[in-house]
Amino acid sequence: MDDVVVKVLLLGDEKVGKSTFLSRISGGSRSLDGHAQITLLRDIDQPFIFEVTNRRRRYCLEFYDTSSPEDWRLLQPDLVLICYDISQRLSLIDMQRVWIKQVHSTFQTSDGLPIMVVGLKRDLRSEDDPNGIIYPQEGYKVAQEMRVDKYVECSAVTGELLKLAFEEICNTAVKTSTADGGQSEGGCAIL
């Protein structure tokens, strides 16, 4: 049986942690706990390919970053991940003002396109800066306002919640190849 190819596009401001996230998950299951060394991937090597197998078939997940060698607007993704840096409020604001609008204006199928919000750099959440801190509840609320399907957050550096976030991304990606699609049945799910 042939592999099912699923294209996953990561969008978000520069330096929100997309490359580190992709680099960490590229190390496979042994690196998802955050203990293994991170070898940074190069943008010119895109797409970053991950093979996932479930009981029924194999899936080839092709991850593309915003800094793809091609213009990301030319891609036809099956799943979009809008990423923001938990320690940078501006990246959360840009997610609402820029990135969700880019998705809707760029992809004609955006009504059926599953979208997830991924909060990165969870390890940098600091109680010392009460104005800049973004708690999970606030990230989730913004994700709901954007009417996306799911909200996850993790730290690629420490591995905190990384395995859970990656599993949820994989589960959603796999669902995009079914007749029901990868969109949630209404509302935003937090994981």
Side-chain angles (χ1 to χ4, degrees), residues 116-120 150-154 164-165 168-169 189 191:
M116 293 178 69
V117 166
V118 182
L120 298 171
K150 293 184 181 162
Y151 175 83
V152 296
E153 59 180 51
C154 63
L164 179 64
E168 194 54 40
I169 290 166
L191 302 164

Side-chain angles (χ1 to χ4, degrees), residues 79-84 92 95 100 113-119 136 138-153 164-176 178 180-191:
L79 170 62
V80 173
L81 308 178
I82 301 177
C83 304
Y84 79 100
L92 179 75
M95 206 173 57
I100 192 68
L113 181 65
I115 303 169
M116 293 178 69
V117 166
V118 182
E138 183 179 359
Y140 175 67
K141 180 180 178 239
V142 169
Q144 282 183 311
E145 290 169 1
M146 292 169 47
R147 304 184 57 81
V148 301
D149 296 286
K150 293 184 181 162
Y151 175 83
V152 296
E153 59 180 51
L164 179 64
F166 185 62
E167 286 175 358
E168 194 54 40
I169 290 166
C170 289
N171 288 338
T172 303
V174 165
K175 287 179 186 175
T176 65
T178 66
D180 293 337
Q183 285 192 309
S184 62
E185 292 184 16
C188 176
I190 187 171
L191 302 164

Side-chain angles (χ1 to χ4, degrees), residues 27-40:
S29 59
R30 63 176 165 60
S31 72
L32 292 178
D33 61 8
H35 297 333
Q37 183 77 17
I38 297 176
T39 304
L40 287 179

Side-chain angles (χ1 to χ4, degrees), residues 11-21 81-96 99 117-126 129 131-136 138-139 151-157:
L11 296 175
D13 291 351
E14 286 186 32
K15 304 197 182 304
V16 296
K18 299 182 304 286
S19 296
T20 305
F21 172 75
L81 308 178
I82 301 177
C83 304
Y84 79 100
D85 177 346
I86 288 172
S87 68
Q88 297 294 322
R89 183 160 297 280
L90 181 59
S91 69
L92 179 75
I93 293 167
D94 283 349
M95 206 173 57
Q96 289 180 286
W99 294 109
V117 166
V118 182
L120 298 171
K121 299 186 181 182
R122 183 180 164 98
D123 56 303
L124 297 181
R125 182 176 279 138
S126 171
D129 183 6
N131 295 324
I133 191 166
I134 302 168
Y135 288 104
E138 183 179 359
Y151 175 83
V152 296
E153 59 180 51
C154 63
S155 168
V157 172

Side-chain angles (χ1 to χ4, degrees), residues 52-122:
V52 178
T53 305
N54 70 8
R55 287 174 257 158
R56 288 174 256 152
R57 57 186 338 164
R58 288 176 31 153
Y59 298 87
C60 179
L61 306 183
E62 294 181 352
F63 281 78
Y64 295 85
D65 191 355
T66 312
S67 55
S68 171
E70 304 173 23
D71 183 354
W72 62 267
R73 291 169 187 85
L74 301 176
L75 295 171
Q76 291 300 313
D78 300 300
L79 170 62
V80 173
L81 308 178
I82 301 177
C83 304
Y84 79 100
D85 177 346
I86 288 172
S87 68
Q88 297 294 322
R89 183 160 297 280
L90 181 59
S91 69
L92 179 75
I93 293 167
D94 283 349
M95 206 173 57
Q96 289 180 286
R97 289 186 183 164
V98 176
W99 294 109
I100 192 68
K101 291 177 182 177
Q102 285 285 328
V103 169
H104 291 300
S105 67
T106 302
F107 304 114
Q108 298 300 322
T109 60
S110 63
D111 286 344
L113 181 65
I115 303 169
M116 293 178 69
V117 166
V118 182
L120 298 171
K121 299 186 181 182
R122 183 180 164 98

